[in-house]
Amino acid sequence: MRYVIIGAGAVGGVIGGRLAGSGHEVVLVARGAHFEALRDHGLRLRVPEGELTHRLPVVDGPAALGELRPDDVLVLAVKTQDSVAALQTWGPAPVAGGGTAAEQLPVFCAQNGVEGQRTALRLFRRVYGVCVWLPSTYVEPGVVSAAGSPLTGILHLGRHPHGTDETARLVAADLEKSHFEAPVVADVARWQYAKLLSNLGNALEAVTGPVSDEDALALFRRVRAEGAAVLDAAGIAYASTEEQQAVRGDKVTLVPLDGAPRGGGSSWQSLTRGTGTIEADYLNGEIALLGRLHGVPTPLNELLQHLADTFARERRAAGSMPVAELMRLADAAVVNTR
């Protein structure tokens, strides 16, 4: 199988680099300065064993590859807000022997939240969800890092909306030779919704900085509890904290990396890079959507969604809002829903 990594940033770059390092054929898809750096200097992957450089084919779209191969596996690793454009670009790409990528090829959605795979299923016949436990960072154009040890990450895989098949098992086997644990599960959404609850803190971190002092932690617990109440009201199953911890154990422990300090999560990185977009609409916004559908107030998640979107649109500095100010806004938002 050949892996086509659509969005070779922090998550996609690490997955692609690790697969390449274990001998698998990989094509990276990127754009702008990142594309140019990958093309000219290769993918530089900083991991606990050092910096690894992988000289891999890199393209900015399907036309550069000509016909796709019947054994290609597409890995969608763009941020959710970029999914529609990526899927519409790659879906019509011709596959050798007949048909299009959307008709013939599997697409694995290695993304936060749950919307990416739902979007993919509108266009692609064979869609797989991936629950991404992979602490990684886009360091600079051409350079990504992953500080996890002894494993780089844990990637639960399964068909969307449910089930497993031989393709999922083959991909999992390749990942497990590449510094990942990759459980194949029939209920991958249950793991993704559990991860979603954790990701509700991404906007909080992006707006105020590390969620470390007691006030920030207390606010995150309130935000997460609001999310859990919504999932419960919607009848959506999610893995418990205890179940997740039993799977993770100490398999992905962060270690310091030279030249690649660990910053914040994906939303913090979006603000730091000044991309102008952020995925809060598909994290806190997913909870707001479900809350409206099922009659559950979600003032804290709505507030964080609004603030994260505002920070991204106005290109405000990550972590620039004092926690005390956010706490005041949060209390006011809750009062206004009563």
Side-chain angles (χ1 to χ4, degrees), residues 85-97:
L87 292 163
Q88 289 178 342
T89 296
W90 284 86
V95 177

Side-chain angles (χ1 to χ4, degrees), residues 7 21 87 113 187 207 213 215 252 273 293 329:
L87 292 163
D187 56 349
V207 169
D213 66 41
D215 284 344
V252 185
R273 292 169 59 192
L293 288 173
L329 293 173

Side-chain angles (χ1 to χ4, degrees), residues 152-174:
T152 297
I154 300 176
L155 307 172
H156 286 75
L157 311 176
R159 285 292 297 260
H160 178 73
H162 51 74
T164 64
D165 63 12
E166 184 62 15
T167 299
R169 288 186 283 273
L170 289 171
V171 170
D174 287 350

Side-chain angles (χ1 to χ4, degrees), residues 38-331:
L38 293 170
R39 178 195 61 199
D40 296 342
H41 306 293
L43 173 67
R44 294 163 58 194
L45 174 60
R46 294 177 182 169
V47 287
E49 59 264 39
E51 181 171 294
L52 311 174
T53 300
H54 298 286
R55 295 279 182 173
L56 302 171
V58 56
V59 299
D60 59 1
L65 291 176
E67 286 188 320
L68 298 178
R69 294 176 4 190
D71 68 338
D72 280 339
V73 173
L74 307 183
V75 178
L76 184 68
V78 299
K79 297 288 176 60
T80 304
Q81 63 268 26
D82 298 320
S83 293
V84 171
L87 292 163
Q88 289 178 342
T89 296
W90 284 86
V95 177
T100 65
E103 294 165 342
Q104 302 293 336
L105 300 183
V107 58
F108 284 74
C109 299
Q111 301 169 291
N112 285 332
V114 295
E115 185 60 29
Q117 61 205 18
R118 294 197 299 232
T119 301
L121 202 60
R122 295 178 186 273
L123 299 174
F124 280 75
R125 292 175 179 171
R126 299 168 60 197
V127 176
Y128 298 77
V130 184
C131 180
V132 181
W133 291 347
L134 172 52
S136 56
T137 301
Y138 175 99
V139 179
E140 62 185 60
V143 184
V144 297
S145 69
S149 180
L151 294 178
T152 297
I154 300 176
L155 307 172
H156 286 75
L157 311 176
R159 285 292 297 260
H160 178 73
H162 51 74
T164 64
D165 63 12
E166 184 62 15
T167 299
R169 288 186 283 273
L170 289 171
V171 170
D174 287 350
L175 289 168
E176 294 206 334
K177 296 172 185 173
S178 308
H179 297 267
F180 294 101
E181 185 171 291
V184 177
V185 294
D187 56 349
V188 67
R190 195 170 68 90
W191 294 91
Q192 291 173 305
Y193 277 106
K195 174 84 178 327
L196 172 64
L197 291 178
S198 297
N199 286 146
L200 298 180
N202 287 18
L204 173 58
E205 176 188 58
V207 169
T208 67
V211 183
S212 55
D213 66 41
E214 186 49 45
D215 284 344
L217 288 169
L219 181 55
F220 171 66
R221 286 191 289 268
R222 292 168 62 193
V223 171
R224 189 188 185 283
E226 192 177 88
V230 166
L231 296 186
D232 291 343
I236 294 173
Y238 52 94
S240 68
T241 301
E242 294 74 20
E243 187 176 3
Q244 294 177 79
Q245 185 55 47
V247 170
R248 291 184 192 183
D250 56 0
K251 299 172 186 174
V252 185
T253 300
L254 300 187
V255 299
L257 298 180
D258 291 338
R262 171 67 175 164
S266 57
S267 297
W268 182 90
Q269 292 181 47
S270 292
L271 292 185
T272 300
R273 292 169 59 192
T275 63
T277 66
I278 200 166
E279 60 187 342
D281 288 350
Y282 303 99
L283 301 176
N284 307 90
E286 179 70 22
I287 295 302
L289 168 63
L290 290 170
R292 291 164 190 152
L293 288 173
H294 297 278
V296 179
T298 59
L300 299 179
N301 280 280
E302 291 177 32
L303 172 64
L304 287 176
Q305 178 188 5
H306 168 72
L307 289 173
D309 286 343
T310 300
F311 268 55
R313 183 175 60 253
E314 297 178 355
R315 288 178 165 77
R316 294 171 62 179
S320 58
M321 175 175 282
V323 174
E325 181 180 350
L326 179 56
M327 294 285 286
R328 178 182 60 77
L329 293 173
D331 290 339

